[in-house]
Amino acid sequence: MAKVHERITERMRAWLLAQHVFFVATAPSGPDGHVNVSPKGVGGTFAVLDDRTVAYVDLTASGSETIAHLRQNGRITLMFCAFEGPPDIVRLHGRGRFVTLYDEGFDELLTRFEGGLDESRGVRAVVVVDVDRVSDSCGYGVPFMDYRGERDLLPQHMARKGTDGRAAYRRMKNRTSIDGLPGFDMDPDPDPVV
């Protein structure tokens, strides 16, 4: 039942954009360290840039595992599954990079999203994925669930912190991964690792 596609088609693009939640998986290199899987779902924070490239807005949160893993090895998988309508699961495997709010090109990338988010609402980076494998499979084992609305707590929480509070939070929570890998860099770097 699984099928590998050469690219993200227009039909698949529309389906991806209609999903309310997706999951991001990364892992450090080698046999040690923790595999990370993060749910993403703030409306307007996912975009299909072209038929082989996607991106999502990375919000300030309690960790920086994805950024740390991308910094180390670039491997990433995004998974979308249908909780309503016909059963389907789509996985986008690829190489990821991140563009932080301190990097050139960040503001331009942010215009590709409809979420109306910026640093004042917690945006710290945009993760761009160069997709090298697109696959879908049946979602027969995925239950039906109803979408009841946005949980807009994270952007509001970050807005209340103010500029200095957000920076202090990122310094405290985002500099290293749970495995001690370098995470979100607070200092603008003229040659960022991407």
PDB file of all heavy atoms in Angstrom, residues 20-35:
ATOM      1  N   HIS A  20      -3.977  19.761  10.289  1.00  0.00           N
ATOM      2  CA  HIS A  20      -3.861  20.669  11.425  1.00  0.00           C
ATOM      3  C   HIS A  20      -2.654  20.396  12.300  1.00  0.00           C
ATOM      4  O   HIS A  20      -2.302  21.226  13.143  1.00  0.00           O
ATOM      5  CB  HIS A  20      -5.137  20.614  12.278  1.00  0.00           C
ATOM      6  CG  HIS A  20      -6.351  21.036  11.533  1.00  0.00           C
ATOM      7  ND1 HIS A  20      -6.574  22.342  11.142  1.00  0.00           N
ATOM      8  CD2 HIS A  20      -7.407  20.319  11.060  1.00  0.00           C
ATOM      9  CE1 HIS A  20      -7.709  22.420  10.491  1.00  0.00           C
ATOM     10  NE2 HIS A  20      -8.233  21.210  10.423  1.00  0.00           N
ATOM     11  N   VAL A  21      -2.045  19.235  12.148  1.00  0.00           N
ATOM     12  CA  VAL A  21      -0.878  18.891  12.955  1.00  0.00           C
ATOM     13  C   VAL A  21       0.050  18.024  12.113  1.00  0.00           C
ATOM     14  O   VAL A  21      -0.402  17.287  11.226  1.00  0.00           O
ATOM     15  CB  VAL A  21      -1.293  18.163  14.261  1.00  0.00           C
ATOM     16  CG1 VAL A  21      -1.911  16.809  13.977  1.00  0.00           C
ATOM     17  CG2 VAL A  21      -0.128  18.012  15.217  1.00  0.00           C
ATOM     18  N   PHE A  22       1.357  18.174  12.332  1.00  0.00           N
ATOM     19  CA  PHE A  22       2.335  17.271  11.734  1.00  0.00           C
ATOM     20  C   PHE A  22       3.419  17.020  12.770  1.00  0.00           C
ATOM     21  O   PHE A  22       3.479  17.682  13.803  1.00  0.00           O
ATOM     22  CB  PHE A  22       2.900  17.829  10.419  1.00  0.00           C
ATOM     23  CG  PHE A  22       3.681  19.109  10.533  1.00  0.00           C
ATOM     24  CD1 PHE A  22       5.067  19.105  10.600  1.00  0.00           C
ATOM     25  CD2 PHE A  22       3.025  20.343  10.534  1.00  0.00           C
ATOM     26  CE1 PHE A  22       5.789  20.290  10.691  1.00  0.00           C
ATOM     27  CE2 PHE A  22       3.744  21.533  10.617  1.00  0.00           C
ATOM     28  CZ  PHE A  22       5.120  21.509  10.695  1.00  0.00           C
ATOM     29  N   PHE A  23       4.241  16.025  12.497  1.00  0.00           N
ATOM     30  CA  PHE A  23       5.262  15.609  13.454  1.00  0.00           C
ATOM     31  C   PHE A  23       6.636  15.706  12.799  1.00  0.00           C
ATOM     32  O   PHE A  23       6.788  15.372  11.625  1.00  0.00           O
ATOM     33  CB  PHE A  23       4.999  14.174  13.919  1.00  0.00           C
ATOM     34  CG  PHE A  23       3.652  14.013  14.562  1.00  0.00           C
ATOM     35  CD1 PHE A  23       2.525  13.733  13.799  1.00  0.00           C
ATOM     36  CD2 PHE A  23       3.496  14.178  15.927  1.00  0.00           C
ATOM     37  CE1 PHE A  23       1.277  13.610  14.385  1.00  0.00           C
ATOM     38  CE2 PHE A  23       2.248  14.058  16.523  1.00  0.00           C
ATOM     39  CZ  PHE A  23       1.136  13.773  15.742  1.00  0.00           C
ATOM     40  N   VAL A  24       7.618  16.157  13.571  1.00  0.00           N
ATOM     41  CA  VAL A  24       8.987  16.320  13.094  1.00  0.00           C
ATOM     42  C   VAL A  24       9.869  15.354  13.876  1.00  0.00           C
ATOM     43  O   VAL A  24       9.844  15.348  15.111  1.00  0.00           O
ATOM     44  CB  VAL A  24       9.476  17.770  13.311  1.00  0.00           C
ATOM     45  CG1 VAL A  24      10.933  17.912  12.926  1.00  0.00           C
ATOM     46  CG2 VAL A  24       8.606  18.746  12.538  1.00  0.00           C
ATOM     47  N   ALA A  25      10.657  14.541  13.160  1.00  0.00           N
ATOM     48  CA  ALA A  25      11.544  13.583  13.807  1.00  0.00           C
ATOM     49  C   ALA A  25      12.987  13.840  13.378  1.00  0.00           C
ATOM     50  O   ALA A  25      13.266  14.037  12.191  1.00  0.00           O
ATOM     51  CB  ALA A  25      11.150  12.156  13.440  1.00  0.00           C
ATOM     52  N   THR A  26      13.883  13.854  14.368  1.00  0.00           N
ATOM     53  CA  THR A  26      15.321  13.994  14.134  1.00  0.00           C
ATOM     54  C   THR A  26      16.047  13.145  15.166  1.00  0.00           C
ATOM     55  O   THR A  26      15.462  12.719  16.155  1.00  0.00           O
ATOM     56  CB  THR A  26      15.795  15.460  14.278  1.00  0.00           C
ATOM     57  OG1 THR A  26      15.471  15.930  15.593  1.00  0.00           O
ATOM     58  CG2 THR A  26      15.162  16.372  13.231  1.00  0.00           C
ATOM     59  N   ALA A  27      17.331  12.918  14.915  1.00  0.00           N
ATOM     60  CA  ALA A  27      18.138  12.158  15.869  1.00  0.00           C
ATOM     61  C   ALA A  27      19.589  12.572  15.723  1.00  0.00           C
ATOM     62  O   ALA A  27      20.033  12.966  14.638  1.00  0.00           O
ATOM     63  CB  ALA A  27      17.993  10.656  15.621  1.00  0.00           C
ATOM     64  N   PRO A  28      20.347  12.462  16.820  1.00  0.00           N
ATOM     65  CA  PRO A  28      21.778  12.747  16.720  1.00  0.00           C
ATOM     66  C   PRO A  28      22.487  11.636  15.952  1.00  0.00           C
ATOM     67  O   PRO A  28      21.933  10.556  15.755  1.00  0.00           O
ATOM     68  CB  PRO A  28      22.232  12.786  18.180  1.00  0.00           C
ATOM     69  CG  PRO A  28      21.261  11.919  18.902  1.00  0.00           C
ATOM     70  CD  PRO A  28      19.955  12.073  18.175  1.00  0.00           C
ATOM     71  N   SER A  29      23.692  11.898  15.520  1.00  0.00           N
ATOM     72  CA  SER A  29      24.499  10.882  14.847  1.00  0.00           C
ATOM     73  C   SER A  29      24.942   9.832  15.852  1.00  0.00           C
ATOM     74  O   SER A  29      25.062  10.107  17.049  1.00  0.00           O
ATOM     75  CB  SER A  29      25.738  11.522  14.209  1.00  0.00           C
ATOM     76  OG  SER A  29      25.349  12.462  13.237  1.00  0.00           O
ATOM     77  N   GLY A  30      25.216   8.636  15.368  1.00  0.00           N
ATOM     78  CA  GLY A  30      25.753   7.584  16.222  1.00  0.00           C
ATOM     79  C   GLY A  30      24.694   6.824  16.981  1.00  0.00           C
ATOM     80  O   GLY A  30      23.505   7.124  16.902  1.00  0.00           O
ATOM     81  N   PRO A  31      25.123   5.829  17.770  1.00  0.00           N
ATOM     82  CA  PRO A  31      24.175   4.959  18.464  1.00  0.00           C
ATOM     83  C   PRO A  31      23.619   5.543  19.761  1.00  0.00           C
ATOM     84  O   PRO A  31      22.669   5.002  20.318  1.00  0.00           O
ATOM     85  CB  PRO A  31      25.018   3.714  18.768  1.00  0.00           C
ATOM     86  CG  PRO A  31      26.408   4.247  18.919  1.00  0.00           C
ATOM     87  CD  PRO A  31      26.514   5.376  17.920  1.00  0.00           C
ATOM     88  N   ASP A  32      24.204   6.609  20.250  1.00  0.00           N
ATOM     89  CA  ASP A  32      23.752   7.188  21.514  1.00  0.00           C
ATOM     90  C   ASP A  32      22.906   8.431  21.260  1.00  0.00           C
ATOM     91  O   ASP A  32      22.806   8.912  20.144  1.00  0.00           O
ATOM     92  CB  ASP A  32      24.955   7.555  22.386  1.00  0.00           C
ATOM     93  CG  ASP A  32      25.777   6.330  22.759  1.00  0.00           C
ATOM     94  OD1 ASP A  32      25.172   5.275  23.024  1.00  0.00           O
ATOM     95  OD2 ASP A  32      27.011   6.437  22.754  1.00  0.00           O
ATOM     96  N   GLY A  33      22.344   8.939  22.311  1.00  0.00           N
ATOM     97  CA  GLY A  33      21.531  10.143  22.196  1.00  0.00           C
ATOM     98  C   GLY A  33      20.073   9.787  22.008  1.00  0.00           C
ATOM     99  O   GLY A  33      19.706   8.646  21.757  1.00  0.00           O
ATOM    100  N   HIS A  34      19.239  10.798  22.118  1.00  0.00           N
ATOM    101  CA  HIS A  34      17.797  10.614  22.081  1.00  0.00           C
ATOM    102  C   HIS A  34      17.221  10.972  20.718  1.00  0.00           C
ATOM    103  O   HIS A  34      17.560  12.008  20.155  1.00  0.00           O
ATOM    104  CB  HIS A  34      17.138  11.487  23.149  1.00  0.00           C
ATOM    105  CG  HIS A  34      17.486  11.075  24.538  1.00  0.00           C
ATOM    106  ND1 HIS A  34      18.649  11.479  25.164  1.00  0.00           N
ATOM    107  CD2 HIS A  34      16.837  10.266  25.403  1.00  0.00           C
ATOM    108  CE1 HIS A  34      18.695  10.948  26.370  1.00  0.00           C
ATOM    109  NE2 HIS A  34      17.604  10.218  26.540  1.00  0.00           N
ATOM    110  N   VAL A  35      16.334  10.129  20.226  1.00  0.00           N
ATOM    111  CA  VAL A  35      15.543  10.443  19.038  1.00  0.00           C
ATOM    112  C   VAL A  35      14.479  11.431  19.490  1.00  0.00           C
ATOM    113  O   VAL A  35      13.888  11.269  20.552  1.00  0.00           O
ATOM    114  CB  VAL A  35      14.896   9.175  18.451  1.00  0.00           C
ATOM    115  CG1 VAL A  35      13.954   9.529  17.304  1.00  0.00           C
ATOM    116  CG2 VAL A  35      15.965   8.190  17.998  1.00  0.00           C
TER     117      VAL A  35
END
